[in-house]
Structure formats: C-alpha cells, structure tokens
Amino acid sequence: MNYKISKKEIQEQIKDKLTHELSVEWQDATDEHYYKAVALIVRDMLVKGRKKFKDVAEQTDTKNIYYLCMEFLLGRSLKNNLFNLGIEDDFRKALSDLNVRLDNLYEMEPDAGLGNGGLGRLAACFLDALATQGYPAMGYSLRYEYGIFRQKLVEGWQTELPDFWLPGGQVWFQPVPTRAVEVHFDGFIEESWNNQYHVVNHKDYTKVLAVPYDLYVAGMDGRGVSRLRVWAATSAEADFDMKLFNGGDYLRAMEQNAMAEVITKVLYPEDNHPEGKSLRLTQQYFLVSATVQDIIRRHLFRYSTLDNLPEKAAIHLNDTHPVLAIPEMMRVMLDECGYGWDQAWSIVNRTVAYTNHTVMAEALECWGVDLFRRRLPRIYQIIEEINRRFCAEMHARGVDGQKVGRMAPLNDGYVKMANLAVVSTHSVNGVSKLHSEILKQTVFQDFYTEMPEKFRNVTNGIAYRRWLNQSNPEYADLITELIGDSYIHNAARLDRLLKYQDDKAVLEKMAKIRRHNKERMADYILKNNGVTIDPDSIFDVQVKRLHEYKRQHLNALDILATYQWLRENPSADFTPRTYIFGAKAAPGYYMAKQIIQFIVNLGNTINNDPRVNEKMKVVYLEDYRVTLAELLIPSADISQQISLAGTEASGTSNMKFMINGAVTLGTLDGANVEIHEAVGDENILLFGMTTPQVEQAKRNGYIPGNIYQNHPVLHQAIDEMGRGFGGVSFQQISDSLRNSDPYMVLADFDDYVRARKKSMELYANSAQWYRIGLTNTAHAGCFSADRSIRDYATEIWSAEPVPAHPKIHIAPSQK
Ligand SMILES: *Cc1c(COP(=O)(O)O)cnc(C)c1O
C-alpha cells in the first residue's frame, strides 16, 4: 500500500478540509484547525488502507483477531500514523509552506487517555503490532467521554479534574451508526418448551443502544491497518422522544437518555483494584454484548454459520474485565441461533483465550450474586449452567470437592471472573515467564493440575517505533547510521549494535544525545515545576501508577535517608542526582495519595535546602501520561523497577527505558527477570529478595519492627517521616512501615541502597555508563510488541498474517 502524496496534493486537501469540514479559510486557521484538518486527511487515508487490507484478508480467508479490553491507553495518534505511513516529512514540508509547524500541531492533540496504565497501554501497543505484522485485527472497547482524570497537585495532595478529551480527540473516530446494536439489562426470564425447543424470553428489560466509533492505527509501512471500535451508550428510546413529548412524557424520555449515557461517561480510575460497583458491571456487559453481537453478525454475513467460527476468528480477553463475552456468546448461540449447549460450548471454548494480568488477591474480580442476577438475569442463568456442568465434570473425574469449589465460577455467593475465564477458554497466559510460573503455582494451581495444557506464557512487549524512533529521534538516527534501518521492521536486529560497545566515538555520541534529551526535560521541569535541575546530574526515574506494591515509598525512603546523611556531610563525595517521579493514584486510595504528598513535600524541603540542593533535586511530575512518558523516558539514566518480587506481572515501562539505553535498577520481578537474562549481570543493577525468598521471609513471620529497631538509618528516616515535611505528618505511612510493611520495603532497603550506590560508581565513568546503555538497547529486541503478537498468533490464536504478496484470483466484477 502506497500512501505517498505530493506536497501540492497535501496542501489542497488541507485547504479543502479547512473550508468544508472546519468552516475556516486557510489564511485564518489556527494550529488547532490545522491539526484537525491533517488528522482528517490521515484518517481518510487509513480508512482506505484498512479497506484494501481487509479486501486481501478476505480474499485469502485470513483469520480475524478480536482483542477485547476495557482500556486502550492510546496517547496521541497523529505523529504515530504519519511516521508509520512514511509521510511525516512530506507533511512537514507542505505545512511549512503554509507557515505552519507540524511539531506545533502535535501539541494540539490531547492524549486519548482511555486507560489507567500498563494494561491499557499494552492493548494500544498491540494494535500497532497487529497491523505491522499483518494480522487483520479489531480492538473493542468503550468510548468513555472522560478518560483517566487529569491530576493536579495542590500542596502535594492529588486532586482529580475531568479529562474532557473529545473536542480535540474525536477527529480520529468515525461514527458508524448503521452498526449500532441494542444491549439489554434487568427484567426477568420466562422459559417455555415448544416442540422440544427451549424458548427463552427476556421480559421487561431496559434497552440501551451501543453506537460504534472506529479509530484506525497504521502499522509500519501501512500494509496492515488495525481498527479500534469503541462503543458509546445512548438511549434506545431516542426515536420515541417526540411521541413521549407529545404525550407529555418528554422529561421521562430525557431521563432515560441520561441514564443510558451514564454507562460510557467515565473510565473507572482504579488500577489493579476492582470496586464491585453496579455501573462497572454494566460497562463490562455493555462492551461484551455489543462486541459479541458485532462479531457474530460479521461472521454470519460471510459464512452463514457459526460452526467454523474457531477457524476464522480468535477472540482474546485482556484480563477478566471482558470475560462476560463468554456467557454472552452462549446466550446468542442458544437463544438466538438455535444451537444446543454442547456445540455452542465447544465453539466458544475453541474461539476464546484469556490473558491474566495479576496475581494479587485483591485485584481478582468477583461480583455479588444478587447484583449480578438482577442486572443480567439471562447471563446469570448461563453462568449457573456453566458452573453446574463444570462441577459435575470435575466430580465425575474424582476431583476433591474442596478443590472443585475453589475452581468453580460460582461460589460463596460470588461470580468469580477469573475462574469463569479459565473454565471457558482454551488458553490462559501470563505476561512474563515469572508471572506465568507463579500463576501455575498459586492462583491457578488447582486448574493447572487438572488442565495443564491450557497454560502458556507470552511476555509483554512495546510498540518500540513509538517509544524509540518517534520519542528519541536523535538516538534512532544514530542507530540507523550504525546498523541500517532494518531494525525498524525487525527489532532483533538491534543486536548489531553490540559491535559498537567499545567504540568510544559512538558512546560519546550517545552521551551527547542523552544530554540533549536531558536539557529538553530540564526545560519542561523548569516550566512546569519551577525547579532548576542540572542536566549533568543522574536522572533517576520512577514513573508508573502509584501503588504500594510498586514501592515508590522505598525509593522515597532512600531519598530521605540520603538527605539526612548529606545534610550532615555536605562536602561528601556525591554525584548530583535528580530523582524524578510521575504517578497517578486511584482517587480513593488514601495511602497512595499520602505517598505522593510525602514525596512532594520531601522534595520541596530538599530542593530548598542549600546544604544539599546542588547535589539532590526531587521532582514530582504532575499528570503522568503517555505523552509525558515519551518526553521523559529518553532522558532517563536509571529506570526504577523496584516492585516486591512476585507482585508485578510484567511491567512494560521497564522495556521502554531499556530500549532507550537507561539502566534498570530493579528487583527480579516480572519482565525484569528476562531483561536480566538478556543483558547479563554486568548490565543491570539487581537488588532485593527473589520471589522464593519473599515467600520464605513471610513463612518465617516477617516483623518489620525488628528491622526498624536495629537499623539506625532506617530508624532515623522513618521517625522524621512521622514528624513530617512541609507541616504535614506522614504518620500513617511510617506506622504502616513499622507495623505491617506489606510490601517488605524495610527488608529490601539495604540492598537497594547498595545497588543505587553502585549506579553512582558506574555513572562516573561515562564510557562505561553508555556501554551498558548501548548493550541494553542492543538486547531490547525481544521486548517488541511485534514479537509478543507473533507469539500470540502461533501459540494461541493459530493465526497467519495476511500474505504480503497474495496470489489472488480476482473475478472480473471485483476489479
Ligand atoms: C508504559 C506505561 C505504563 C506502564 O508502566 P509500568 O511501569 O510497566 O507499570 C503506565 N502508564 C503510562 C502512561 C505508560 O506509558
């Protein structure tokens, strides 16, 4: 697919879009107008590209991939699409003639923040990789009117502001009202028998209309294009507004409308912590019901049967949030298509696969039966039947009753979403080698002994063209200069950088590029935080959601201890260091919000203390999001990945940092284990307990108070934390550390301090530092999302890409 377009054509199309779609003449248009005009042009190209891609996919009968996820953390689209289509320079020049700077247009685009963190960002990276690898794929999600909240820090305390992103964001989405479907809630079920047919009647239900909006993502070179279909909720009664109005019932109609629209009003802002709210259950079912109807309609249109669905489509559930797709598929096949249970079950089971994203007990989703049954009466019945049959089969196999209970989708008055997923799908995977092993040994141990063949691993990956080429163009240019550009299609080729490990000139260039990126970041920090930082200092970065398991407070505790030492020893030898944080906390997660305030207030104290502030600076970046990550990560020297071993499923920011040449300072957790395998002991700073050591320490009875009592440095730091900073006491954090310390911060403290000191020694020798950095980039190829997607395709979906040069017989009428 060739997307080349002449300068003149670009300019004509821009003027055309401005006049006809945005009602402004080009001479009067603002950057915002120009951004929208360019976005609309690119969108048109993508729609065409998708059409061609799908035509070939259909002619070659290529399997479709459907990726269901409640979150897609897309960030911005314009630069990514221009880059992948290979037309960024053409647009830059065309705009420049009109006195418009493309880089300014990029800044007009709001982040599409339809996700909380790693889970949603993974889904977004996968759309890119699916397109690049040539798989005809659709993502399905919700069109939240408000994405993840904007974070504003008021005296260090996180406050949340609504993220109304649609005014600038919706240009990418094409409404498809002809594909709207109805979703039914509430009511009751009437069953009867009619000549051996089981007739199910859902009565008195509430109707909501799901209207799709489509966004397209170009893969590299634009051969493949992925489609993300997001559903917006609106009242299905809208047609009757006028009738109701005439009948004097206009207000009730409007009320119904408002009730329906609430469903896709806002993204739930909890990461790894389900709330169990009725509206959230409603969102989940709304997504899967609309999606399943859409997939089945498309399949039936083409094949007139669902018998071959498993051969022609793979449906993937990203986490348990869309697991109700399983009973929903059963409902459609049983109640609407006339399938019998066994055949429907076999089709569902062979079509659907599930990825688990966490092993933490509090993150496993359960729904109270009463709420569930009331809201989704037919789906509840189907889950009861799934449960009944599963338990019967296990009992028949002689499985112990307690064990059957632990595996049952319905138990203790709850619908257990993870159990439902494992019971109903043909594949269950974790997202890093370590995580996939832990799944088999802990949360899914019972299942693993009964059905080991279901379990797999697919290590996460990133859309590295975004995170390296687009975010760090100078470094990407250097790499291309050294090894050519084949790595842009095949990340494994990055290993060709290894031969430059000891090339002084290359390492110096790398240092210069890092220095540029740090200056850029320092400008941003001065402007946004009012803090002057030294671009020659070590940029030591921890950015990710704020969660106790990720242990931002371990990082902060060491900063505090270092501050205490340095203010007593102001002339000590200490390489200047800038500690950078960025993280949003769930609005109701009080401890997390206190940790933010602790870091901010501690930072203010340090930044204003002349005894230390030439050597230490602490910066808390407000509103951490994809676009800020793209600016920040290329400037990092150190990547903090310090979760308690066994708690972080994979991590993906660790991969983004690594490919940009930062050094991981981390525990043997999640994908850090594989990063270590890839780079070797010399090129990573590991510290802390391993997962078995954590378990052993817990079995031995972990008592943080003992460490506190016998450790003068920790004692002093925790005491000062309790006394407070900036007039605020952080007693609750210090009490938690001394009394329970659920994530074993104190146990890993000494080793953390040691590893951080070592980073200072390594940094002192610039050639050595950038040798490590270059080695990290060279080994980052296996963390490409392209590789993840190939793994999913071969190991789980049994899918092939659309052939690059298909031999297709084109009938004359098809042209
Ligand atoms: C990559 C990314 C994440 C995930 O970070 P982890 O450190 O893997 O948890 C979260 N938020 C944003 C904005 C990201 O880009």
Side-chain angles (χ1 to χ4, degrees):
M1 178 79 190
N2 188 358
Y3 294 84
K4 276 293 167 199
I5 173 170
S6 74
K7 189 161 91 177
K8 193 155 153 276
E9 229 176 315
I10 294 175
Q11 290 168 344
E12 275 168 12
Q13 287 202 27
I14 289 176
K15 289 177 185 171
D16 182 70
K17 291 287 183 204
L18 287 170
T19 314
H20 296 111
E21 309 243 359
L22 301 160
S23 310
V24 61
E25 290 310 310
W26 68 274
Q27 299 91 335
D28 307 324
T30 61
D31 277 353
E32 199 177 322
H33 291 126
Y34 274 102
Y35 150 66
K36 285 185 181 166
V38 173
L40 287 169
I41 295 167
V42 174
R43 194 185 86 179
D44 289 348
M45 296 169 106
L46 294 172
V47 169
K48 286 195 192 120
R50 170 75 182 183
K51 173 90 175 60
K52 286 209 169 160
F53 180 54
K54 277 295 290 178
D55 284 349
V56 182
E58 283 190 12
Q59 284 152 4
T60 53
D61 210 23
T62 305
K63 192 169 194 174
N64 284 302
I65 311 299
Y66 297 111
Y67 197 81
L68 278 60
C69 187
M70 288 287 283
E71 308 189 2
F72 280 81
L73 189 53
L74 298 165
R76 290 174 174 167
S77 287
L78 181 55
K79 189 200 276 197
N80 186 245
N81 284 315
L82 289 176
F83 179 91
N84 282 0
L85 298 180
I87 52 177
E88 193 185 22
D89 276 345
D90 303 329
F91 271 80
R92 180 169 280 122
K93 286 180 191 134
L95 284 160
S96 159
D97 285 359
L98 304 172
N99 276 322
V100 176
R101 282 196 54 210
L102 179 60
D103 290 317
N104 293 346
L105 304 194
Y106 291 151
E107 295 307 312
M108 295 294 108
E109 182 173 359
D111 272 38
L114 309 184
N116 278 283
L119 176 88
R121 184 55 231 170
L122 182 78
C125 284
F126 280 2
L127 288 179
D128 182 294
L130 282 159
T132 299
Q133 298 299 300
Y135 295 97
M138 280 182 74
Y140 278 103
S141 196
L142 295 181
R143 194 196 72 145
Y144 304 105
E145 235 171 276
Y146 296 88
I148 187 66
F149 61 83
R150 281 189 298 127
Q151 179 192 53
K152 189 148 183 55
L153 301 176
V154 180
E155 292 172 17
W157 191 254
Q158 170 179 297
T159 56
E160 298 89 24
L161 296 172
D163 164 49
F164 193 52
W165 65 285
L166 284 172
Q170 72 184 348
V171 281
W172 293 103
F173 288 85
Q174 195 177 40
V176 197
T178 54
R179 292 283 180 245
V181 296
E182 270 185 25
V183 179
H184 296 173
F185 296 95
D186 308 325
F188 62 95
I189 306 299
E190 228 176 49
E191 293 171 85
S192 57
W193 287 90
N194 181 357
N195 295 329
Q196 295 166 19
Y197 282 103
H198 184 210
V199 179
V200 173
N201 229 328
H202 190 176
K203 295 255 182 137
D204 276 0
Y205 53 78
T206 314
K207 277 193 273 192
V208 180
L209 202 64
V211 181
Y213 290 75
D214 290 349
L215 167 145
Y216 295 90
V217 179
M220 189 64 202
D221 295 339
R223 179 167 74 90
V225 177
S226 294
R227 171 151 83 180
L228 174 61
R229 175 160 284 187
V230 293
W231 301 98
T234 156
S235 170
E237 316 288 354
D239 313 346
F240 304 114
D241 275 0
M242 282 320 288
K243 276 187 221 155
L244 286 165
F245 175 70
N246 293 333
D249 229 351
Y250 175 74
L251 279 179
R252 203 169 62 86
M254 294 312 279
E255 233 168 61
Q256 270 182 10
N257 204 41
M259 263 152 50
E261 282 173 7
V262 158
I263 296 174
T264 48
K265 189 63 76 180
V266 60
L267 167 79
Y268 272 87
E270 286 87 27
D271 188 67
N272 271 316
H273 197 95
E275 271 236 52
K277 292 269 165 61
S278 167
L279 180 58
R280 171 74 174 181
L281 179 65
T282 303
Q283 285 188 339
Q284 293 186 351
Y285 183 66
F286 180 75
L287 165 62
V288 302
S289 178
T291 300
V292 164
Q293 292 180 63
D294 199 46
I295 293 170
I296 288 183
R297 171 196 53 75
R298 187 175 302 110
H299 189 85
L300 284 178
F301 180 77
R302 187 164 159 74
Y303 299 102
S304 308
T305 174
L306 294 174
D307 293 357
N308 63 347
L309 187 69
E311 287 81 57
K312 305 301 178 192
I315 297 180
H316 205 89
L317 308 177
N318 198 29
D319 212 328
T320 54
H321 317 140
V323 159
L324 300 181
I326 290 158
E328 176 66 3
M329 279 177 84
M330 291 298 288
R331 182 190 70 77
V332 174
M333 295 172 86
L334 297 171
D335 300 355
E336 295 178 7
C337 303
Y339 274 89
W341 183 281
D342 290 329
Q343 207 189 351
W345 181 250
S346 160
I347 290 171
V348 169
N349 180 268
R350 287 180 291 133
T351 307
V352 186
Y354 154 67
T355 297
N356 172 283
H357 283 270
T358 179
V359 295
M360 287 185 300
E362 71 269 28
L364 292 176
E365 281 193 297
C366 303
W367 294 105
V369 158
D370 290 338
L371 162 69
F372 198 105
R373 190 195 288 138
R374 203 174 341 108
R375 199 75 177 118
L376 305 169
R378 179 62 183 144
I379 297 303
Y380 184 73
Q381 282 185 336
I382 291 170
I383 293 175
E384 275 186 317
E385 185 61 12
I386 293 173
N387 186 66
R388 193 188 64 75
R389 287 173 182 248
F390 171 74
C391 292
E393 186 193 326
M394 288 298 122
H395 286 130
R397 271 209 226 170
V399 179
D400 159 72
Q402 296 245 312
K403 186 170 167 183
V404 176
R406 288 194 301 266
M407 294 190 285
L410 261 180
N411 199 10
D412 300 336
Y414 287 97
V415 177
K416 306 215 161 151
M417 300 281 272
N419 287 359
L420 180 58
V422 181
V423 165
S424 317
T425 58
H426 67 89
S427 168
V428 176
N429 74 283
V431 289
S432 69
K433 283 184 195 166
L434 175 68
H435 169 62
S436 294
E437 284 308 311
I438 293 175
L439 282 183
K440 294 189 283 189
Q441 287 156 22
T442 62
V443 273
F444 295 144
Q445 188 188 41
D446 294 322
F447 285 111
Y448 181 59
T449 56
E450 294 304 322
M451 42 196 96
E453 70 286 350
K454 282 195 187 185
F455 288 82
R456 293 178 177 72
N457 171 247
V458 179
T459 299
N460 281 167
I462 56 167
Y464 68 99
R465 288 167 288 271
R466 174 185 285 261
W467 293 105
L468 173 65
N469 299 78
Q470 295 159 38
S471 306
N472 199 349
E474 275 191 76
Y475 189 38
D477 286 349
L478 172 63
I479 295 170
T480 304
E481 190 187 307
L482 296 173
I483 64 170
D485 64 4
S486 63
Y487 75 94
I488 298 174
H489 295 90
N490 177 4
R493 296 267 168 87
L494 283 167
D495 69 359
R496 294 181 179 177
L497 284 170
L498 286 173
K499 68 167 176 275
Y500 299 100
Q501 266 184 337
D502 296 304
D503 185 324
K504 285 273 153 44
V506 167
L507 300 176
E508 272 166 31
K509 278 186 191 163
M510 212 181 143
K512 221 183 225 149
I513 292 165
R514 176 78 51 81
R515 166 81 201 200
H516 278 164
N517 295 337
K518 287 164 98 169
E519 285 165 10
R520 209 164 41 126
M521 196 60 218
D523 291 344
Y524 178 93
I525 289 170
L526 180 59
K527 199 161 147 227
N528 288 273
N529 294 56
V531 177
T532 305
I533 60 170
D534 173 6
D536 288 320
S537 63
I538 301 174
F539 279 27
D540 182 325
V541 183
Q542 187 174 17
V543 283
K544 48 186 74 256
R545 281 298 286 243
L546 201 306
H547 211 298
E548 283 166 280
Y549 85 80
K550 291 175 182 279
R551 299 202 294 194
Q552 281 93 351
H553 52 332
L554 169 59
N555 187 346
L557 196 60
D558 177 42
I559 295 172
L560 170 52
T562 304
Y563 169 52
Q564 291 176 329
W565 168 75
L566 209 54
R567 76 188 171 195
E568 298 303 317
N569 305 276
S571 55
D573 194 21
F574 186 83
T575 309
R577 198 179 270 257
T578 303
Y579 304 88
I580 300 174
F581 291 86
K584 289 176 184 173
Y589 188 175
Y590 192 66
M591 178 66 96
K593 285 183 154 181
Q594 287 188 86
I595 292 172
I596 294 176
Q597 191 176 39
F598 171 61
I599 296 168
V600 172
N601 288 10
L602 171 65
N604 288 338
T605 303
I606 289 173
N607 299 346
N608 292 305
D609 188 334
R611 290 171 294 182
V612 304
N613 65 11
E614 303 272 287
K615 290 179 174 153
M616 299 177 78
K617 284 271 165 65
V618 182
V619 175
Y620 200 105
L621 298 170
E622 223 168 44
D623 203 33
Y624 179 61
R625 60 196 184 281
V626 170
T627 297
L628 188 47
E630 289 167 1
L631 179 74
L632 171 63
I633 290 173
S635 78
D637 293 301
I638 290 183
S639 160
Q640 295 274 345
Q641 308 296 341
I642 62 177
S643 52
L644 176 66
T647 63
E648 184 73 275
S650 162
T652 48
S653 79
N654 45 2
M655 303 168 185
K656 302 168 195 164
F657 283 103
M658 177 196 192
I659 203 166
N660 279 284
V663 181
T664 304
L665 198 173
T667 48
L668 277 170
D669 198 17
N672 297 351
V673 174
E674 287 153 79
I675 293 178
H676 173 232
E677 272 174 26
V679 301
D681 291 336
E682 303 301 304
N683 297 299
I684 187 167
L685 293 161
L686 291 178
F687 75 96
M689 293 178 285
T690 61
T691 306
Q693 286 168 343
V694 168
E695 279 159 15
Q696 188 59 48
K698 283 185 180 165
R699 275 196 298 273
N700 293 348
Y702 175 58
I703 305 174
N706 290 346
I707 304 179
Y708 167 78
Q709 287 303 337
N710 298 305
H711 196 303
V713 171
L714 270 174
H715 199 296
Q716 195 190 346
I718 290 172
D719 286 359
E720 190 168 349
M721 176 193 274
R723 289 197 298 279
F725 292 90
V728 182
S729 155
F730 297 97
Q731 196 66 45
Q732 207 183 334
I733 310 175
S734 70
D735 283 351
S736 164
L737 285 172
R738 278 181 294 125
N739 298 329
S740 59
D741 192 15
Y743 297 97
M744 303 175 113
V745 164
L746 303 196
D748 274 347
F749 184 81
D750 282 339
D751 209 29
Y752 183 54
V753 172
R754 175 197 58 74
R756 215 176 207 165
K757 280 213 179 97
K758 188 159 170 211
S759 73
M760 180 151 51
E761 290 156 25
L762 294 174
Y763 186 83
N765 178 340
S766 175
Q768 166 139 308
W769 188 250
Y770 290 99
R771 183 186 199 278
I772 297 174
L774 191 76
T775 310
N776 269 269
T777 304
H779 290 296
C782 55
F783 301 109
S784 149
D786 298 346
R787 189 272 312 145
S788 302
I789 287 302
R790 286 193 300 270
D791 287 355
Y792 276 103
T794 53
E795 313 268 319
I796 297 177
W797 303 329
S798 306
E800 298 276 343
V802 173
H805 305 289
K807 294 195 179 68
I808 307 163
H809 172 72
I810 299 179
S813 63
Q814 280 184 284
K815 198 172 123 219

